[in-house]
Amino acid sequence: MSDKTSKLYAIVHCKCPHCRRGDIFTGSMYGWNIQHTKEVCSHCGQRIEIEPGYFYAAMYVSYAMNVIEMLIASFITYLIFGPLTESTFWHYLIVIFAGCFILYPFNYRYSRIILLHVLSPNIKYKPYYDK
C-alpha cells in the first residue's frame, strides 16, 4: 500500500476509521455468511460501537439511502413503462420493493460505514498506523 491510506479507500473497502487497516465486518456483503459488525478493530483495537445503541443512528442514514434508491428506481421505471397509472402500478411496486430487498445488505453495511467515517467526530484517523 501507499504511505497514506485514503479515506475513500477506507470507506469503499469498509475499513476502520481510526487506522484505515482493520476490517469492520465479518462475512461478505452478499453470500451465505451473515455479515456482523466487529466489536473492536483487529488492527488497532478501536471500539467500533462507541457506545451502546450507537448504530441506531445508522437507521436514519439507511433510510436516506433507501429514499434515494427508491426515487432512482421510480425514475427508471418511469423511463421504461411510462407514467404511473392503474396499468403500471404493479410494475412500480415490484421494481421499488425488489430494489429495496436486493440493496438491503448494501444499505446495512454502508449506513454504518458512513456513520463511522463521516458522521462521527470522536473517531479520528491516526496516520502512524500506516508505517
Side-chain angles (χ1 to χ4, degrees):
M1 290 193 121
S2 65
D3 291 331
K4 184 177 177 191
T5 307
S6 72
K7 187 169 193 155
L8 181 63
Y9 175 87
I11 290 172
V12 169
H13 294 283
C14 301
K15 300 296 182 183
C16 171
H18 185 67
C19 66
R20 297 183 184 169
R21 298 284 181 183
D23 293 326
I24 292 178
F25 295 98
T26 61
S28 62
M29 188 180 331
Y30 291 99
W32 297 110
N33 295 337
I34 297 174
Q35 61 179 331
H36 293 285
T37 307
K38 292 182 178 180
E39 291 185 24
V40 294
C41 175
S42 58
H43 190 264
C44 68
Q46 168 73 36
R47 268 189 70 73
I48 302 298
E49 187 172 5
I50 299 168
E51 57 192 34
Y54 178 73
F55 286 122
Y56 285 128
M59 289 188 305
Y60 298 107
V61 177
S62 179
Y63 176 75
M65 292 169 67
N66 249 329
V67 168
I68 292 168
E69 292 160 359
M70 286 181 184
L71 289 172
I72 291 170
S74 297
F75 181 69
I76 292 171
T77 307
Y78 173 78
L79 293 177
I80 294 172
F81 295 107
L84 178 61
T85 61
E86 280 187 32
S87 62
T88 61
F89 173 76
W90 287 105
H91 295 107
Y92 277 84
L93 197 66
I94 290 170
V95 168
I96 290 170
F97 280 122
C100 288
F101 181 74
I102 291 169
L103 292 173
Y104 169 73
F106 175 84
N107 291 342
Y108 173 82
R109 184 172 281 213
Y110 282 99
S111 64
R112 290 176 177 224
I113 293 296
I114 290 170
L115 181 68
L116 284 170
H117 280 274
V118 181
L119 302 174
S120 293
N122 296 337
I123 302 177
K124 301 288 185 203
Y125 168 62
K126 304 291 186 208
Y128 61 81
Y129 285 110
D130 284 332
K131 295 178 182 172

